[in-house]
Amino acid sequence: MNVLIPKFEEENPGYKVNAVSHEWAELHDKIIVNAGSDSLPDVARLDIAWVPEFQKMDILVPLDKEMSDFSEVSGNLLDSAMSTGFVKGNYYAMALNTNTKILFYNEQALADAGIAVPQTMDELYAAAAKLSGTNAAGQQVWGLNEPALSGWNILPYIWSNGGAITNEDYTKASGYLNSAATVDTVKKFADMYKKGQFTGFNSGDIPMTDGFGTGRYMMLLEGPWKTAEMNGAYPDFKYGTGNMPAGSGGSHSVLGGEDIAMFKGGNSEGAWLFMKFMTSEFAQEEMAKCGQIPVNKTALESDTVKNAAFAPFLEAITTAVARPPVASWSEIDNLLSVAVTDIIVNGADAQTKLDALAAQVDTLLVG
């Protein structure tokens, strides 16, 4: 608002940017509603998981077909990040920023307990058990925190444990979502929750940053924004970071980030100019100052980025996995969250619940 939009308008005097901000979930729903009334924006920042859904709705412009200089522009961006905009043979979005999550831990708590930074899933579970209990003030503390039980939160553990949501073609969930490795992962978290070692996702729980900064949550998986949050809210708190602990499936965090996309029926010329500007070296370096990991290859080599403590995240991105790039992912994710919550919080049988869920997801994948 203060730097990039004024700069774009200065460089492109024929255009004005009407920037409209929404809460993330509200933005998703508003785009769906507006698609039926022909009142979509020219261009928008989208969660990478939304692109297949909006492509299926036929509201996004296939950039590589419509923009003559697409290859030149996209060639400046990370291939891994650009893959999130590729759906059924065409690019419907360009990468805008990328991220993933790594392990954050309470340095003093681990030192006091004589625990090394967990390198494996077994070590993570053991550390969570040892770090949980009651502190000197008589308050309950938890070894591991997750603020929700959606795919964004639980998939790193499932993947690292050798589990999966679907097959590699994203056409089948049965045999994957209800596999032994996936079921075992969810059962492990149900056991940890029951023993008071895992929490954060219930209504009324301590918010993640506050719980971590006050020593109530000992470990968590989070992205580069957490560094900025901790520096602002708890500048004196000592914490360390490490890779996603590895299991039988390796070390796999979840690939996150946002794409920028153009909607059909709008000002395509102005939208494309803005998209090229937002993925330029200048804009990407400015966004890095706000905690966003650039996807522009040249910006990634800048001093701004190198001095922004992104290194652990950049390493983790190399083995991070994207959520299934399917149009029905939002619905699948909601069903997954409900099922996992029922298992972890309510004690539902994991195998039975995930068998039923896999059958539901099979239908959604075909649709």
Side-chain angles (χ1 to χ4, degrees):
M1 294 295 290
N2 299 326
V3 177
L4 296 184
I5 290 177
K7 180 69 171 176
F8 172 80
E9 293 177 340
E10 176 188 337
E11 294 181 355
N12 300 275
Y15 292 98
K16 296 288 289 184
V17 177
N18 177 26
V20 180
S21 179
H22 294 284
E23 292 291 334
W24 209 229
E26 179 189 348
L27 172 61
H28 173 269
D29 295 343
K30 190 173 183 64
I31 288 173
I32 291 176
V33 171
N34 286 1
S37 58
D38 295 324
S39 55
L40 290 166
D42 296 316
V43 61
R45 182 186 189 193
L46 306 177
D47 189 294
I48 59 176
W50 300 347
V51 177
E53 178 182 7
F54 294 159
Q55 183 275 337
K56 186 177 181 180
M57 294 172 64
D58 195 29
I59 58 177
L60 298 180
V61 173
L63 302 171
D64 52 338
K65 291 176 65 175
E66 301 293 334
M67 304 299 141
S68 61
D69 56 345
F70 173 81
S71 294
E72 178 184 347
V73 175
S74 63
N76 296 321
L77 310 179
L78 290 174
D79 291 341
S80 60
M82 276 299 300
S83 70
T84 63
F86 189 74
V87 184
K88 295 186 176 180
N90 290 108
Y91 285 94
Y92 290 87
M94 288 205 301
L96 188 60
N97 58 271
T98 189
N99 60 59
T100 190
K101 300 192 293 183
I102 61 174
L103 182 69
F104 284 69
Y105 59 89
N106 183 319
E107 280 189 343
Q108 191 62 53
L110 263 68
D112 290 346
I115 300 173
V117 180
Q119 301 297 314
T120 68
M121 294 291 286
D122 286 343
E123 289 174 359
L124 177 73
Y125 298 144
K130 192 168 184 179
L131 293 168
S132 300
T134 305
N135 63 15
Q139 300 171 313
Q140 183 175 359
V141 297
W142 294 266
L144 186 64
N145 164 257
E146 279 294 342
L149 295 174
S150 66
W152 174 255
N153 306 95
I154 65 170
L155 283 174
Y157 305 99
I158 290 174
W159 287 327
S160 297
N161 195 44
I165 297 297
T166 72
N167 59 0
E168 292 184 359
D169 296 331
Y170 312 112
T171 57
K172 186 178 181 181
S174 290
Y176 301 89
L177 180 51
N178 58 340
S179 68
T182 303
V183 170
D184 287 348
T185 305
V186 180
K187 286 174 66 176
K188 181 63 180 178
F189 279 107
D191 183 59
M192 292 172 67
Y193 178 74
K194 186 176 180 179
K195 294 177 178 178
Q197 301 166 6
F198 175 56
T199 196
F201 39 82
N202 293 304
S203 176
D205 282 348
I206 306 168
M208 175 185 272
T209 300
D210 292 333
F212 189 51
T214 57
R216 304 290 297 279
Y217 300 150
M218 298 302 180
M219 297 183 294
L220 45 91
L221 292 183
E222 264 292 64
W225 50 86
K226 188 56 63 182
T227 301
E229 290 175 10
M230 292 300 295
N231 288 344
Y234 299 94
D236 299 325
F237 182 78
K238 302 300 182 185
Y239 65 89
T241 60
N243 289 330
M244 172 70 199
S248 60
S251 171
H252 298 290
S253 191
V254 59
L255 184 68
E258 282 76 45
D259 287 344
I260 188 166
M262 182 191 307
F263 290 91
K264 290 185 174 181
N267 186 327
S268 59
E269 182 180 346
W272 184 235
L273 284 172
F274 189 68
M275 292 171 74
K276 291 194 289 186
F277 173 78
M278 287 301 296
T279 55
S280 69
E281 178 185 354
F282 169 77
Q284 293 271 296
E285 191 170 338
E286 288 298 316
M287 288 301 291
K289 297 175 183 177
C290 302
Q292 300 292 324
I293 298 178
V295 293
N296 182 287
K297 297 172 185 176
T298 307
L300 279 168
E301 297 301 319
S302 69
D303 289 339
T304 298
V305 173
K306 290 180 178 179
N307 294 332
F310 287 146
F313 299 95
L314 295 174
E315 180 181 349
I317 283 170
T318 63
T319 59
V321 181
R323 288 155 288 177
V326 295
S328 54
W329 174 248
S330 293
E331 187 174 356
I332 292 171
D333 198 23
N334 288 335
L335 292 171
L336 177 65
S337 181
V338 170
V340 171
T341 299
D342 198 19
I343 296 166
I344 292 176
V345 177
N346 302 325
D349 181 74
Q351 188 70 64
T352 302
K353 202 74 181 180
L354 294 181
D355 282 345
L357 178 61
Q360 281 184 285
V361 174
D362 281 342
T363 302
L364 292 171
L365 292 172
V366 172

